[in-house]
Amino acid sequence: MSVINSAEVPVKIGSIYPSPYAEMVAGRSSLRLGQAGGLSQFGVNLVTLAPGAMSSLRHWHLNEDEFVMVTEGECTLVQDAGQTVMRPGDCAAFPAGRPDGHHFLNRAEAPARFLVVGTKAPREVATYSDVDLVVEMEAGVSRFTYKDGTDWAGPR
Amino acid sequence: MSVINSAEVPVKIGSIYPSPYAEMVAGRSSLRLGQAGGLSQFGVNLVTLAPGAMSSLRHWHLNEDEFVMVTEGECTLVQDAGQTVMRPGDCAAFPAGRPDGHHFLNRAEAPARFLVVGTKAPREVATYSDVDLVVEMEAGVSRFTYKDGTDWAGPR
């Protein structure tokens, strides 16, 4: 059968971000449900945000569509235009190439969870809105640069 | 902002199936949330099954990954190996090309809902497990055939 036993899916913690950005998402963990179910064309992760945690640095994707449904607690979506509190059942979509960075904050006192779906493009570029950081990902390799394209060597 | 106002998303009813198969999914409706949010790389639909309804004919996809999370009520997943009752939060994955047809039945007395994600491949073939029917979809055109490849002209 194709039902995913989430109790058997490993809890993923940590981040590909370089320090000090990795520490900023320390309260985030996720289950890679799509991978556990054998999917390869898009990722499906169930993300848990501890109280006070953030989902990621605020970012936008060049090549990959992204979709989110909140499943538990309250998530505050932050974008260029401001903030929106999202609750279970609320959904948001982030089309590839739209340069409006987003992330989710848990400002409540209980854990929050959301399901996030993202295409797996052969090559991806994510640009971080609030810091001088870009990541290019291809064939499993991530390369961090400043927004001027030079190799990242620490916050500036 | 990128939040989807589901109250403004049109409720889709009906089916591309030829009669008499279309009538078999009469109790199904859906909201095309991904499309409403401007996504093009994968579809995200919130499907409602009235009591007694089925989600689709039992089928499998040749080229498109599919993922489901139940959000409300009870959905009975039917596959070759048997049946599984799924409840809110339960997830299932159907990798492209795995020839094990699936569909969902609502055998409870309350409406059931699930979120379904599927890749949008340029060309797709869906094969129906329990009837002599195949559909090929390309560039917005659907062609129904029997499993021997000849044009469909009624149930047999």
Side-chain angles (χ1 to χ4, degrees):
Chain A
M1 300 292 290
S2 297
V3 176
I4 298 165
N5 184 345
S6 60
E8 292 182 355
V9 178
V11 177
K12 181 182 174 291
I13 56 173
S15 168
I16 65 165
Y17 295 156
S19 181
Y21 303 128
E23 295 87 301
M24 297 171 68
V25 295
R28 175 195 67 184
S29 62
S30 61
L31 302 182
R32 296 188 164 188
L33 298 178
Q35 185 182 70
L39 303 187
S40 59
Q41 297 172 359
F42 51 83
V44 185
N45 298 334
L46 183 67
V47 177
T48 300
L49 298 180
M54 71 165 64
S55 61
S56 62
L57 297 175
R58 198 161 74 88
H59 71 283
W60 59 275
H61 290 282
L62 184 64
N63 297 322
E64 295 177 341
D65 278 356
E66 188 178 344
F67 179 91
V68 165
M69 172 183 269
V70 175
T71 61
E72 187 178 329
E74 287 185 3
C75 294
T76 301
L77 168 62
V78 183
Q79 291 188 278
D80 286 348
Q83 306 190 358
T84 308
V85 176
M86 295 176 63
R87 297 188 173 84
D90 289 347
C91 298
F94 309 100
R98 188 180 291 179
D100 181 0
H102 67 273
H103 67 170
F104 295 90
L105 309 177
N106 182 2
R107 292 187 170 137
E109 296 184 359
R113 287 195 171 84
F114 61 86
L115 192 77
V116 55
V117 181
T119 314
K120 292 191 175 180
R123 177 176 178 275
E124 179 55 317
V125 178
T127 301
Y128 297 93
S129 307
D130 304 322
V131 295
D132 190 358
L133 185 68
V134 173
V135 61
E136 298 179 19
M137 290 167 281
E138 189 165 8
V141 177
S142 300
R143 173 178 172 246
F144 290 92
T145 71
Y146 297 114
K147 289 176 182 172
D148 65 10
T150 60
D151 285 339
W152 190 87
R156 68 179 191 186
Chain B
M1 299 294 290
S2 298
V3 176
I4 298 165
N5 184 344
S6 60
E8 292 182 354
V9 178
V11 177
K12 181 183 174 292
I13 55 173
S15 168
I16 64 165
Y17 296 157
S19 181
Y21 302 128
E23 295 88 301
M24 297 171 70
V25 295
R28 176 194 68 184
S29 62
S30 61
L31 302 182
R32 295 188 165 188
L33 298 178
Q35 183 182 71
L39 304 186
S40 60
Q41 298 172 358
F42 50 83
V44 185
N45 298 333
L46 183 66
V47 177
T48 300
L49 298 180
M54 70 166 64
S55 61
S56 62
L57 296 176
R58 197 161 74 89
H59 70 282
W60 59 275
H61 290 281
L62 185 63
N63 297 323
E64 295 176 341
D65 278 356
E66 188 178 345
F67 179 91
V68 165
M69 173 183 267
V70 175
T71 61
E72 187 178 331
E74 288 185 2
C75 293
T76 301
L77 168 62
V78 183
Q79 292 188 276
D80 286 348
Q83 306 190 358
T84 308
V85 176
M86 295 176 63
R87 298 187 172 84
D90 290 346
C91 298
F94 309 101
R98 188 180 290 178
D100 182 359
H102 67 274
H103 67 170
F104 295 89
L105 309 177
N106 182 2
R107 292 190 170 135
E109 294 183 359
R113 288 194 170 85
F114 61 86
L115 192 77
V116 56
V117 181
T119 314
K120 291 191 174 179
R123 177 176 178 275
E124 179 55 318
V125 179
T127 301
Y128 297 93
S129 307
D130 304 322
V131 295
D132 191 358
L133 184 68
V134 173
V135 62
E136 298 178 19
M137 290 167 281
E138 190 166 7
V141 177
S142 300
R143 174 178 171 246
F144 289 93
T145 71
Y146 297 114
K147 289 176 181 172
D148 66 10
T150 59
D151 285 340
W152 189 86
R156 68 178 191 187

